[in-house]
Amino acid sequence: MNSVTIIGGGVSGLFSAYYLQKTGHSVTIIEQGAFLDGCSFGNAGMIVPSHIVPLAQPGMIAKGLRWMLKSTSPFYVKPRLSWDLMKWGLLFYKYSTEQHVQRSIPILRDISLLSKKLFQDLAASGDVDFGWHERGLLMLYKNADTEHEMAEEAHLANQAGIVAEMLNGAQVQALEPEVRVDVRGAVYYPGDAHITPNLLIKNLLDFLKKQGVQVLENEEVLGFEKKGTKITAIQTAKGSHKTEELIIAAGAWSPVLTEKLGISLPLQGGKGYSFMLKNVKNNIHVPAIMLEARATATPMGGDLRFAGTLEVAGTDMTVNMNRVRGIVQGITNYYPELEVQLPEVDKVWRGLRPCSPDGLPYIGRVKGLDNVTLATGHGMMGVSLGPATGKLVAEIVTGKAESMEVQAFNPLRFS
């Protein structure tokens, strides 16, 4: 079997390593920072077959422009002179159509259901403990306009074979015996699940090390050595690493690497924040998305993780506390008895979700380079789609029949 080098220690990179080592490949993972600091680590932890509508959809441009005027809003595009941002924005506008939504629904459904099945298999295998729970997901709403919008989404989901139930406020409350929920209603997706992402990353990393996967962290990639149509080595700040196969799974930093290979990859980092409420006496039971606030709440053991915002800001990793304040303000509108204070800035986790302009990930070979595969661009669904991404990458590298058709994820589809 070939030697494979994976650049990126997030969930896509780790699951690619997991499935590749199972096929007998010699695997090395290179991470520019620390493994336990990446975007996957502080994720909301939701496994969401319900999320079948891509980010690029009708109405998102107008909604985003309105939100941009408010400092605590859930969506923000940081103004800057950038051709890459302009190109991404134009493509996002082009794909924000009803036709694109209809084409994307079965694709996102299939990769999400594949990923959920692989999560179930992993939980049953005992290889890795990651806090697997199948309690569904509540999409909570406060007003009639959102209810109308969500009724349409629920209809689309049911048409696609994803069970969605419209609940009134009393029915929502019945699912939450410990915490008062102040809502008009919700869409309940019983097929969704959740995990504890930091547990997944830590334990999956430990498992891979035990299986002989070489793990290199705090090692920045500077360039590549090429012979003909193949990459033969990766040059880092600490030396050169020979390889027979290269996987780029570096999240929001992937375009920096692909540019070194002569590939322009339309992708923007969508910054999100999260923080943890520790030792919650009366905790929520079902993970929830608070729709008008665009914030999430996920129980993780005795703790409760809140997350939210999508701040398109390149690779800027600074913390904007106004955005965090917006999350905190939103929470008490839905859970009035939860005592949530604005956290100190050093208690706020932030990460960059790699957002493609059409809302579909990049998974596949790169034309013109025979041994390069990309695995990035998952937006806010990186953890949810991690196992499926890793499985597909392993199948692409080994030349086996893929678990699903991957043409829609072609990394060069905008070229």
Side-chain angles (χ1 to χ4, degrees):
M1 288 292 180
N2 291 339
S3 64
V4 182
T5 303
I6 299 168
I7 303 176
V11 72
S12 293
L14 293 179
F15 270 114
S16 294
Y18 178 79
Y19 289 106
L20 282 163
Q21 61 85 26
K22 280 189 173 294
T23 61
H25 286 80
S26 171
V27 181
T28 299
I29 308 172
I30 301 175
E31 167 58 40
Q32 67 172 351
F35 280 89
L36 303 186
D37 286 343
C39 184
S40 307
F41 195 73
N43 184 280
M46 295 175 174
I47 310 306
V48 283
S50 60
H51 283 35
I52 56 174
V53 177
L55 185 61
Q57 58 184 273
M60 272 303 292
I61 299 290
K63 195 178 290 185
L65 289 172
R66 288 197 304 274
W67 279 335
M68 278 179 67
L69 302 175
K70 188 178 178 185
S71 66
T72 56
S73 69
F75 180 78
Y76 179 68
V77 178
K78 183 177 182 180
R80 60 191 190 280
L81 288 172
S82 165
W83 166 243
D84 289 339
L85 176 61
M86 190 181 301
K87 180 182 177 182
W88 185 91
L90 289 171
L91 285 167
F92 186 91
Y93 175 78
K94 178 183 176 182
Y95 283 88
S96 294
T97 65
E98 186 59 39
Q99 292 86 349
H100 174 63
V101 168
Q102 292 300 327
R103 283 195 303 268
S104 300
I105 284 173
I107 298 165
L108 289 172
R109 174 198 64 201
D110 291 351
I111 190 171
S112 287
L113 290 174
L114 171 62
S115 216
K116 180 188 172 185
K117 175 64 169 61
L118 293 171
F119 266 123
Q120 290 172 323
D121 292 346
L122 181 61
S125 74
D127 285 350
V128 180
D129 174 28
F130 51 97
W132 176 251
H133 296 284
E134 297 185 45
R135 299 179 192 163
L137 173 70
L138 285 166
M139 304 285 279
L140 304 173
Y141 52 80
K142 301 277 290 184
N143 62 54
D145 286 345
T146 310
E147 180 176 47
H148 176 72
E149 195 177 309
M150 294 314 297
E152 290 183 358
E153 276 203 20
H155 177 66
L156 283 176
N158 282 313
Q159 277 189 320
I162 302 293
V163 177
E165 303 170 8
M166 295 294 293
L167 306 182
N168 60 32
Q171 290 170 315
V172 171
Q173 189 61 73
L175 292 174
E176 291 294 359
E178 295 183 42
V179 179
R180 187 160 75 87
V181 191
D182 183 9
V183 292
R184 179 185 178 94
V187 180
Y188 178 51
Y189 291 100
D192 284 9
H194 69 283
I195 65 167
T196 303
N198 39 322
L199 199 60
L200 172 70
I201 298 298
K202 181 185 179 301
N203 290 343
L204 184 53
L205 192 59
D206 288 344
F207 175 83
L208 292 173
K209 288 177 181 177
K210 288 175 184 173
Q211 302 306 306
V213 172
Q214 187 178 14
V215 172
L216 307 173
E217 61 182 337
N218 298 310
E219 194 159 344
E220 182 185 0
V221 173
L222 303 178
F224 303 96
E225 294 176 22
K226 182 181 172 186
K227 186 174 182 180
T229 57
K230 290 193 173 184
I231 300 302
T232 56
I234 297 98
Q235 300 161 343
T236 76
K238 296 182 180 178
S240 180
H241 305 278
K242 293 190 180 300
T243 194
E244 294 170 288
E245 288 281 348
L246 173 63
I247 314 297
I248 295 179
W253 285 268
S254 296
V256 178
L257 297 169
T258 61
E259 190 176 340
K260 298 177 190 297
L261 297 170
I263 298 164
S264 175
L265 187 71
L267 187 146
Q268 288 289 314
K271 186 160 50 181
Y273 304 107
S274 76
F275 60 93
M276 196 76 91
L277 204 61
K278 305 289 285 185
N279 302 314
V280 181
K281 186 178 179 183
N282 295 311
N283 208 343
I284 73 168
H285 184 74
V286 182
I289 296 178
M290 297 163 268
L291 287 162
E292 291 88 356
R294 297 288 169 178
T296 66
T298 314
M300 296 183 180
D303 303 332
L304 182 55
R305 176 170 289 169
F306 296 107
T309 80
L310 182 65
E311 189 177 324
V312 179
T315 52
D316 173 19
M317 289 291 282
T318 57
V319 174
N320 183 333
M321 287 303 290
N322 272 339
R323 305 280 163 205
V324 181
R325 188 173 288 109
I327 297 173
V328 173
Q329 290 169 352
I331 293 164
T332 51
N333 287 332
Y334 296 80
Y335 301 101
E337 293 174 359
L338 282 179
E339 295 182 9
V340 184
Q341 305 296 324
L342 183 69
E344 296 295 321
V345 66
D346 63 346
K347 300 295 184 186
V348 177
W349 174 91
R350 75 272 191 253
L352 295 173
R353 295 88 150 225
C355 298
S356 71
D358 63 353
L360 299 178
Y362 297 119
I363 306 170
R365 289 287 199 193
V366 176
K367 188 178 179 182
L369 292 169
D370 297 343
N371 64 338
V372 177
T373 303
L374 262 58
T376 187
H378 298 80
M380 292 175 282
M381 294 174 63
V383 167
S384 187
L385 299 181
T389 299
K391 179 77 168 172
L392 291 170
V393 165
E395 290 172 345
I396 290 165
V397 169
T398 55
K400 293 181 179 177
E402 288 99 4
S403 298
M404 65 174 287
E405 173 58 52
V406 296
Q407 184 56 37
F409 308 135
N410 178 7
L412 301 184
R413 59 186 180 268
F414 301 115
S415 300

